[in-house]
Amino acid sequence: MMSNLPHPGILCHESELVDSLESTQIYYDANLKPVISKLASIHAPPEFEVYWDSEDPDNPRLWPLWYKALTVAAMSLGATIVSLSSTLYTSGIPGLQEEFHISKIVALLGVTTYLLGMGIGSILFAPLSELLGRRPIYIVSMTIFLLLLLPSALAQNIQSILVGRFFGGFFGSALMSNSPASVNDIVSDKYRALAFGFWSIGPSNGPVYGPIIGGFVFQYLGWRWTNWIVLIIGGVALVLIASVKETYAPVILRRRATRKRKETQNPKWWTRYDDGLGFMSLLRVNLKRPFVMLFTEPICIFWDGYVAIVYGILYLCFVAYPIAFQQERGWSPGIGGLSFIGIGVGVLLSIACEPLFRKVINIHRKNPETGVVPPEAMVSIIFFGATLLAIGQLWFSWTCTPNVHWIVPIISGLPFGVGNACVFIYAQNYIAQSYGLYSASALAGNMLTRSVMGAFLPLAGPAMYETLGLNWAGTILGLVETACIMIPVVFYFYGHKIREASPLIKEAKKLQAAS
């Protein structure tokens, strides 16, 4: 039976919980450390193994607290810049329409191409970072990301903007997908939730910061400055990222072993991570398995679909809010951007409530075999978030017109923001804990599907809101989210049976035991 198991080098990639702008890790699977792919033997003498010393300054887990804080801040700021750029662009759409004489749908294609680039890039950069290290991937990708802002800032036609934003999203995805893994590299189990809580403050709210900042930038400086602002802040982020040392332990140890072999002229030096597969092998796994899981695994089918719907409706807000507050109420672009504050505060509230949510999860009955609560415990928080999400959407739908005071629809953003954060965070945690060693592939498929939905659904927004009006278009979306509440309900009661019936989850457990 063991002969049919994949090479352990594949597991090295799958064991990392790689996430996107909304994937804050509050509960984690046990398989967070890289899987050992080589053991001591006659061909690998234990006295020649390169590993950490007890007080090794190169061990990321032993870095000083201030340097760990700097690392978390750098990773958070880098990911925030990438997510911010996705929606800061929308504030300048009226300027694009006026200068290039294009329709709003054509201008919205800048969001579409950006998110498509992010979805594709997230699948490619994870294995590359495990082969070359996270730091060089961050520096190179962030540099290219910033350079790709120039075609948009200096563009003389919309085609330059669309192409530039696609590749900008592609290279920016390296920060979005890998920065949570870097945070995980440096913190212990005891402080992991706290570290990810601080990391998530920026990336989780990045899409909301976009129109808040972009409204004033467009109003006073013009649409081109929506790119220059990202370039300036991104330059600061790049300096911070460049000041952070490599965090991925296998790469650090392999480099040390290579240096020892060169210095001593002795080829016997080795590390326990030497036998991992190369980039092409990891890439083949990354490209194939997420799609296989997406179409064959019920957990992936339903959760990826649900998260994609939620993500798409979130990006429709960047179409609906300007109509409701700027077009209908006559607000300026700057003041109109402030209408997103309600959603932003809601997201921050959900992060602040993490200790309370953790208590609710831990109330559930523990698995007698593992001693931990089952993944379905997290679904209770998703149900709570899904309910608030539908309430916030329906609330906004029937209070967003000028006959209702402006504060009422803005307050509707509070439950909407809390609901979005709860669904994104805990749905991805449920997927990660369910699939264990295969969680990276499951999460890659999740990021790809939601990126595709976020890319294309807003294109239908202008026509939908013009035809149905803000009230009924929003109501339809709210009813869809209400119907989707059944997904967490079903998984709360029957998720354990669905997991038990999954051949891939059974295989992951066998591989976990074998490794």
Side-chain angles (χ1 to χ4, degrees), residues 344-362:
V345 173
V347 173
L348 293 177
L349 277 176
S350 68
I351 296 173
C353 289
E354 185 275 327
L356 176 61
F357 293 154
R358 188 190 315 156
K359 289 182 180 180
V360 172
I361 291 172
N362 288 333

Side-chain angles (χ1 to χ4, degrees), residues 89 93-110 158 162 459 462:
Y89 167 87
I93 284 180
L96 293 173
Q97 290 179 261
E98 181 180 353
E99 182 163 340
F100 297 132
H101 308 290
I102 55 176
S103 67
K104 189 170 187 177
I105 293 180
V106 173
L108 280 170
L109 286 173
I158 190 63
L162 299 184
L459 296 179

Side-chain angles (χ1 to χ4, degrees), residues 397-412:
S397 301
W398 289 100
T399 61
C400 62
T401 48
N403 60 308
V404 180
H405 193 276
W406 57 266
I407 194 63
V408 180
I410 290 180
I411 293 177
S412 73

